[in-house]
Amino acid sequence: MGYAAAIRWNHSLLALCMVVQLLVGELMDVPGAGEEASALGWLGVAWAHGAEGGMVKESWMFELHEALGLVVVALLLIRVLLAMTDLPGANWRHLVPWVFAAGRAQLAREIGSQMEGWKQGRLAPPEEGESVARSVHGLMLLSALLVGAAGVLLFFGWNEHGRQSEWIEMVGEFHEAMVGVLEFLLALHVLAVILHQRQGHDIVSRIKPGG
Ligand code: HEM
């Protein structure tokens, strides 16, 4: 299965912006975060990206994180709109095979027949079933949307000058926890791409713009 041009472009921009965003997010200091900023008490400074022994006042990386976050959310919303179309590879049904009985049966078949290969680092070619890969794609988009939704709430609710309300700290915790899920899925995704390419399945040309 090939992907429509719109999906290919969306994916390239999303991959680029999201990888930069995740790196910036891990490295930045957050204005307003710090020991005093923690209304819940147990939110550590490092976890909240605060400065050692004090509160961060300004951070260009945080500004970049906010701007890039809005771009990523826009790209995700475009992907959601594309999921409502029947463009090749775009439809939402591709991303959630486990929602349908036939998809669940296919997933069980693939896991049953391919598990032994996975344990040895071998992936079956896409022709032998794509439900597992598609499920990972769907979960990546879903977790990215949840990260983005929490990010938008933080954009409006985070106090850059100090103490946070309890609910906004919880949103912050959720944002970080979902980033962990997304990073795990992204690592799986990239590992699968590398293994497929090494086995000569050339899946990259299916998603490359202009490919
Ligand atoms: C780090 C760089 C990345 C590389 C090298 C990469 C590579 C690929 C490749 C080769 C495919 C085609 C799979 C197939 O043949 O079915 C693909 C599909 C896909 N990737 Fe990535 N990817 C990357 C980052 C991301 C990111 C950050 C996301 C977003 C959360 C993402 C989400 C998806 C989705 C959803 C698909 C299926 C196409 C679609 O439905 O939009 N990828 N990726």
Side-chain angles (χ1 to χ4, degrees), residues 26-37:
E26 295 298 345
L27 296 175
M28 70 188 181
D29 291 328
V30 178
E35 272 153 337
E36 306 136 81

Side-chain angles (χ1 to χ4, degrees), residues 3 7 11 15 79 137 140-141 186 189 193 203 206-207:
Y3 291 98
I7 294 288
H11 177 267
R79 182 62 187 89
H137 296 160
M140 283 170 81
L141 288 176
L186 183 59
H189 182 60
V193 173
I203 54 167
R206 309 198 315 173
I207 195 83

Side-chain angles (χ1 to χ4, degrees), residues 9-21 75 186 189:
W9 279 105
N10 180 267
H11 177 267
S12 291
L13 293 172
L14 195 58
L16 180 69
C17 294
M18 194 169 282
V19 169
V20 175
Q21 178 71 340
L75 288 168
L186 183 59
H189 182 60

Side-chain angles (χ1 to χ4, degrees), residues 42-64:
W42 45 269
L43 184 75
V45 173
W47 178 249
H49 304 284
E52 294 257 338
M55 184 120 36
V56 179
K57 297 221 161 40
E58 266 177 41
S59 152
W60 66 268
M61 275 193 151
F62 182 70
E63 303 288 319
L64 176 62

